[in-house]
Amino acid sequence: MLKPINYITKTAENISINNLKERINITGPDDELKRLASTLNKMIDRLQDSFNRQIQFVSDASHELRTPIAVIQGYANLLDRWGKDDKEALEKSIYAIKLEASSMASLVENLLFLAKGDSGTQVMEKKEISINKLIEEVIDESNVIEKDHEILSDRNDIGEITADYGMIKQMLRIFVSNSIKFTPKGGKIKIDSEVHKEFVKITVSDTGIGIPKDEINNIFERFYIVDKSRSKESAGSGIGLSIAKRIVDMHKGTINVESEEGKGTRVIVILYREN
């Protein structure tokens, strides 16, 4: 009678952070011991999945941080060799170091946001917000910063929604920023909203280069960048859209992307008014 218990105990003892592939062999009648073994196996599956995602996250983050660190080191060496006597080298190095440091700070903030979400410690401050005023605010702020594109709204319904104001604003900024990167100068970027009884529909559309059909399903993956060769200068870290999707998921909404190469992209977000 004790053999199955001893087997489960011995197998559990052999499982460690370095050995998450081992599982308890489930045989025999469908009794309490079999259900216990099944429960333990499912728990180990979740642990392994979490551990694998953690390893991948650290690997991706390290890869993204490696480039700005290398740039800073390079310009620091340039300063050390020529900066004391060459004013042009000094100014160029200081500018580059400040720019890369700013990029690193932004990347770290984004990584922390995702890490908090993964661990379930991300705090939401949900309250009733005016969706039309929020969109107007994002459009006004974007037009102050961006002069090469027309950012506007064709339809912006008046209405309220229960959500985290800061997160929804961050989500919209990510979509607008992404559209700016991949829309030629002079192009249009629109933020529209439709307020319905049970939900709000937010659409961010642009007249940009579009996304290949076979890559649309991947754009929300962390650190994924659509065909870097198409836009080497504007490609970012590939983490912004992951954050936007996390925000939508946290609000129990849905997100859909429609795009056609050479014609533009539409991002459609549905947020329920009570969630």
Side-chain angles (χ1 to χ4, degrees):
M1 288 178 62
L2 293 176
K3 279 186 178 180
I5 298 175
N6 290 334
Y7 169 73
I8 292 173
T9 302
K10 186 176 180 180
T11 304
E13 288 174 348
N14 290 333
I15 296 170
S16 67
I17 199 70
N18 297 315
N19 180 30
L20 287 173
K21 293 183 179 180
E22 189 165 348
R23 297 293 183 271
I24 299 168
N25 187 27
I26 303 172
T27 57
D30 186 16
D31 54 14
E32 288 81 358
L33 287 175
K34 189 172 183 179
R35 289 193 292 272
L36 173 61
S38 177
T39 300
L40 287 172
N41 283 340
K42 289 177 182 177
M43 180 188 71
I44 298 164
D45 287 340
R46 292 193 297 271
L47 285 172
Q48 185 174 28
D49 180 63
S50 177
F51 188 62
N52 289 340
R53 283 190 287 110
Q54 185 182 48
I55 291 174
Q56 185 63 48
F57 185 81
V58 171
S59 175
D60 290 339
S62 299
H63 181 268
E64 290 300 320
L65 288 168
R66 191 176 295 126
T67 299
I69 289 173
V71 172
I72 289 174
Q73 287 176 332
Y75 278 103
N77 291 332
L78 181 65
L79 279 173
D80 188 46
R81 290 197 304 269
W82 310 106
K84 302 180 183 72
D85 304 313
D86 189 332
K87 186 178 179 181
E88 185 180 348
L90 175 64
E91 292 178 352
K92 184 179 180 181
S93 299
I94 290 174
Y95 174 79
I97 288 172
K98 287 171 68 176
L99 185 64
E100 292 299 331
S102 176
S103 298
M104 284 178 63
S106 176
L107 177 59
V108 169
E109 283 296 317
N110 289 337
L111 290 172
L112 285 173
F113 183 94
L114 291 174
K116 286 180 180 179
D118 288 343
S119 63
T121 58
Q122 185 74 52
V123 178
M124 292 179 65
E125 297 180 4
K126 296 174 78 172
K127 60 182 180 181
E128 196 171 82
I129 61 175
S130 172
I131 193 66
N132 57 296
K133 289 182 179 178
L134 174 56
I135 289 175
E136 288 173 2
E137 189 175 319
V138 172
I139 290 174
D140 290 342
E141 290 177 358
S142 299
N143 279 315
V144 169
I145 300 169
E146 178 55 40
K147 300 298 183 183
D148 294 327
H149 299 83
E150 186 180 359
I151 303 170
L152 68 159
S153 178
D154 283 342
R155 174 178 177 176
N156 191 13
D157 291 355
I158 297 173
E160 285 73 38
I161 186 172
T162 302
D164 186 299
Y165 178 87
M167 287 189 183
I168 300 301
K169 188 173 185 179
Q170 182 182 10
M171 176 195 75
L172 291 175
R173 281 176 168 171
I174 289 169
F175 292 145
V176 170
S177 175
N178 213 57
S179 290
I180 289 171
K181 288 178 184 177
F182 299 102
T183 299
K185 290 182 179 180
K188 289 185 178 181
I189 298 165
K190 295 192 295 183
I191 312 176
D192 296 327
S193 72
E194 299 176 22
V195 177
H196 299 269
K197 183 178 179 180
E198 296 180 349
F199 64 89
V200 169
K201 178 182 177 182
I202 302 172
T203 304
V204 180
S205 56
D206 61 51
T207 55
I209 61 176
I211 306 168
K213 285 185 178 180
D214 59 346
E215 298 202 62
I216 289 178
N217 293 332
N218 300 321
I219 63 173
F220 294 109
E221 293 179 11
R222 296 176 189 180
F223 304 103
Y224 186 84
I225 298 175
V226 177
D227 192 3
K228 296 180 183 181
S229 63
R230 299 196 313 159
S231 186
K232 292 179 181 178
E233 293 181 1
S234 59
S237 65
I239 200 173
L241 290 177
S242 298
I243 291 175
K245 187 176 187 307
R246 169 60 59 81
I247 290 171
V248 174
D249 290 343
M250 290 177 70
H251 285 81
K252 298 179 181 178
T254 63
I255 185 168
N256 187 43
V257 178
E258 300 172 355
S259 187
E260 187 174 348
E261 287 190 84
K263 292 188 176 181
T265 301
R266 296 173 73 233
V267 179
I268 303 160
V269 175
I270 302 293
L271 297 174
Y272 296 94
R273 303 185 73 178
E274 295 293 334
N275 55 62

